[in-house]
Amino acid sequence: MSLSLTPQAHGHLGHTDPDCLFCKIVAGKIPSKFVYQDDEIFVFHDIHPWAPVHFLMIPKAHIPSLAHVGAEHEGLLGRMMVLASKLALQEGCNPYPDGGFRMLSNTGAEGGQEVHHLHIHVMGGPRPWIKS
Ligand code: 5GP
Ligand code: ZN
């Protein structure tokens, strides 16, 4: 895996991996159904949704997984957690407690991770879902 320090879209500096699918989505090289972005976070709909609402929250910087984060990422991860409920409502999840949403971050092969750029799945909407 080659890593380089390059200016990202919208002027943010961080590591990107030119071979990484989600880095390409952040850079706009692969289209996605956009939800939200700021200097450090990018959010888009999952191409194969499991639930009526299913989007992915990712850091713009290439962090391979939750197994790679440290104390320097606590602020970023906290901001992603706080942002999730706002975006869930915006994207059509029903309000808590009857509605709500699920957050999930598959980590490593045994954790079911397929794309090795840290991402948090946010799923919600009326049941049944494709995967419970
Ligand atoms: P993982 O299994 O790594 O937790 O999840 C990867 C997710 O990325 C899967 O749910 C998959 O549907 C989604 N995904 C894979 N390729 C693309 C793509 O090109 N665009 C979008 N929007 N989602 C993708
Ligand atoms: Zn990446």
Side-chain angles (χ1 to χ4, degrees), residues 35-87:
V35 173
Y36 170 90
Q37 70 174 329
D38 58 32
D39 283 351
E40 57 184 356
I41 298 167
F42 194 86
V43 184
F44 56 101
H45 286 274
D46 196 293
I47 205 167
H48 294 128
W50 306 351
V53 178
H54 185 175
F55 57 85
L56 302 172
M57 309 183 71
I58 68 173
K60 285 186 169 177
H62 182 79
I63 303 168
S65 81
L66 267 187
H68 296 77
V69 298
E72 70 274 26
H73 300 111
E74 285 173 357
L76 166 68
L77 292 169
R79 285 186 284 280
M80 291 172 81
M81 297 284 284
V82 170
L83 188 58
S85 62
K86 179 176 164 241
L87 295 183

Side-chain angles (χ1 to χ4, degrees), residues 21-22 25 30-33 44-50 54 56 105-106 112-116 119 121:
L21 175 66
F22 286 177
I25 285 178
I30 293 176
S32 65
K33 199 173 153 198
F44 56 101
H45 286 274
D46 196 293
I47 205 167
H48 294 128
W50 306 351
H54 185 175
L56 302 172
S105 189
N106 298 324
Q113 185 177 8
E114 291 178 0
V115 178
H116 290 262
H119 52 280
H121 296 259

Side-chain angles (χ1 to χ4, degrees), residues 15-17 19-24 58-64 116-118:
H15 291 284
T16 62
D17 178 346
D19 299 323
C20 168
L21 175 66
F22 286 177
C23 284
K24 289 179 190 171
I58 68 173
K60 285 186 169 177
H62 182 79
I63 303 168
H116 290 262
H117 179 131
L118 194 161

